[in-house]
Amino acid sequence: MMKKLLFVILATLALSACTDSVGSVNWCNQLKEKPKSEWTTDNAVNFAKYCVFQNEVGSKSWCKDMSNKPKGDWTGNEAVDYAKYCVF
């Protein structure tokens, strides 16, 4: 079971390596440059959550928050992002 989970995480990392994760510093910077008229509702919510409150995915505060969050409550994306930004 653990080997399958590790494989899924590594495969997801490999596939997502070229894209910026929602809430990452690069994602925040890209969205800042994009006209607000082109933002989706999800973009606006995620921008406020991650970029305005300085809790970007991969930041020290985000990694600390994720470390304190029960692993059973993590989403698949959170697990991948944690592995990508906080472990490696």
Side-chain angles (χ1 to χ4, degrees):
M1 178 69 175
M2 189 60 139
K3 288 182 181 181
K4 287 182 183 181
L5 177 61
L6 181 59
F7 175 76
V8 169
I9 290 173
L10 291 176
T12 305
L13 280 173
L15 293 174
S16 67
C18 298
T19 61
D20 293 317
S21 299
V22 172
S24 68
V25 174
N26 288 337
W27 181 87
C28 290
N29 290 335
Q30 288 175 359
L31 204 58
K32 286 176 188 175
E33 295 175 9
K34 188 176 184 179
K36 289 180 179 52
S37 61
E38 296 178 15
W39 288 17
T40 65
T41 302
D42 285 339
N43 287 152
V45 169
N46 287 325
F47 185 83
K49 180 178 178 181
Y50 296 112
C51 308
V52 173
F53 297 113
Q54 301 299 311
N55 198 26
E56 292 99 349
V57 171
S59 67
K60 287 183 181 182
S61 62
W62 184 86
C63 291
K64 183 179 177 184
D65 289 346
M66 288 303 297
S67 294
N68 294 329
K69 184 176 181 179
K71 307 298 185 261
D73 293 344
W74 289 14
T75 65
N77 287 338
E78 288 174 334
V80 169
D81 289 337
Y82 185 83
K84 183 176 180 181
Y85 296 110
C86 307
V87 175
F88 295 117

